[in-house]
Amino acid sequence: MTEPLVGSGASRGLGTTARREGDTWILNGQKKWIGNSTFGDLTIIWARDVADNQVKGFIVENKTPGFKVEKIQHKMALRVVQNGLITLEDCKVPEENRLQNDSTFRDTARVLRMTRGFVAWEAVGCQMGAYENALLYAQQREQFGKPIASFQLVQDLLVKMVGNITACQCMVMRLSQLQDQGRLADEHASLAKAFCTVKMRETVGFARELLGANGILLDYNVGRFVADSEAIYSYEGTREMNTLIVGRAVSGFSAFI
């Protein structure tokens, strides 16, 4: 969904277009930050139908003429994921490859509801990884003749991390329960994504602080979690956008422009 010039404004400003000609759709535009698009066989492309100005989804085979993908280089975060810049030039997709039940951005939002929940879980895992490595370091690293885990200020950092992780674990568990019950709403997923990623940023910061200078070395893993947290914090809707979704639900007023 994300494009070089369109992120949060996808609901109204999607630049990639779809034009129908008989039983074929012609796609033109670009997509950016698309995970694993460099080696996948299929990519879901969201495009704006020029006929009714509504967002529709298309299953595009990556070998389709007019479909080109370039791997994004020099990432500092989530390096295991191959993000791609996709260019579509008169890319032809048959009508049968259109997602038949997705005809407006409201339908697309159902996908975002799920992915935001996934990101909230990712934020929990990122915190846990940073904490576990920081705890091990504190138990083994010695200063003044004893492990730094025995120092009051180090224990304070560890407890702050445990508190954040526990709160986020409870929230995402409740999120999954609502999903199982068929009661998961946009505001639930947005609240979890916003809250857990903010706490994640704080937790990995505590872990890096605990390790001191070693916190920026990849050898101790914590630096990797710090870098990854910056990506997790931003994608699938920024904190601000998710806050507006929750704010609309609790106040009854939309603050979207």
Side-chain angles (χ1 to χ4, degrees):
M1 182 180 298
T2 306
E3 299 178 352
L5 300 177
V6 179
S8 299
S11 62
R12 299 180 182 177
L14 210 62
T16 299
T17 61
R19 184 181 75 256
R20 185 166 184 172
E21 295 183 357
D23 290 331
T24 301
W25 291 85
I26 313 298
L27 305 185
N28 281 284
Q30 284 189 311
K31 299 293 178 180
K32 192 173 184 180
W33 301 112
I34 311 306
N36 301 326
S37 57
T38 57
F39 60 83
D41 296 321
L42 303 173
T43 302
I44 304 298
I45 297 291
W46 301 97
R48 180 173 51 83
D49 184 352
V50 297
D52 60 10
N53 210 37
Q54 296 292 336
V55 175
K56 294 178 171 59
F58 301 88
I59 303 172
V60 181
E61 297 183 23
N62 286 21
K63 295 181 180 179
T64 304
F67 182 100
K68 183 178 68 174
V69 59
E70 174 186 356
K71 180 180 176 180
I72 296 175
Q73 304 286 349
H74 311 303
K75 293 196 308 170
M76 75 169 208
L78 295 181
R79 292 171 62 86
V80 70
V81 180
Q82 292 191 24
N83 294 93
L85 170 65
I86 296 173
T87 300
L88 304 154
E89 295 182 348
D90 292 329
C91 186
K92 296 182 179 180
V93 180
E95 162 64 12
E96 62 185 18
N97 280 22
R98 179 175 65 85
L99 300 181
Q100 302 297 318
N101 293 325
D102 293 293
S103 300
T104 69
F105 187 79
R106 185 179 297 275
D107 299 316
T108 307
R110 297 201 310 267
V111 178
L112 293 174
R113 185 188 312 156
M114 302 304 298
T115 56
R116 284 167 180 159
F118 298 158
V119 174
W121 275 102
E122 282 185 301
V124 173
C126 186
Q127 292 182 75
M128 291 173 64
Y131 165 75
E132 290 168 359
N133 280 275
L135 174 61
L136 180 63
Y137 181 89
Q139 292 169 331
Q140 296 177 345
R141 171 75 168 181
E142 291 191 1
Q143 286 289 293
F144 307 106
K146 56 184 178 180
I148 64 173
S150 65
F151 298 153
Q152 293 177 354
L153 293 180
V154 171
Q155 291 188 5
D156 180 62
L157 289 174
L158 291 170
V159 172
K160 287 177 179 177
M161 285 187 269
V162 170
N164 282 350
I165 292 169
T166 302
C168 292
Q169 286 174 330
C170 291
M171 179 171 279
V172 293
M173 176 60 71
R174 181 56 181 153
L175 195 73
S176 294
Q177 290 174 343
L178 290 171
Q179 180 183 344
D180 288 343
Q181 297 166 6
R183 298 167 54 200
L184 181 64
D186 291 342
E187 56 267 25
H188 298 144
S190 288
L191 179 62
K193 198 278 178 179
F195 179 86
C196 292
T197 54
V198 167
K199 290 303 178 183
M200 167 197 63
R201 248 182 163 189
E202 187 176 65
T203 299
V204 300
F206 289 148
R208 201 223 63 79
E209 180 181 347
L210 189 152
L211 267 67
N214 285 333
I216 67 171
L217 296 177
L218 295 177
D219 309 62
Y220 297 92
N221 293 320
V222 168
R224 176 169 58 85
F225 290 110
V226 172
D228 285 349
S229 72
E230 290 303 306
I232 297 171
Y233 179 74
S234 296
Y235 70 83
E236 298 302 336
T238 62
R239 184 195 63 81
E240 292 81 2
M241 291 298 294
N242 281 294
T243 296
L244 292 178
I245 292 171
V246 180
R248 179 177 60 192
V250 299
S251 70
F253 294 93
S254 174
F256 285 99
I257 297 175

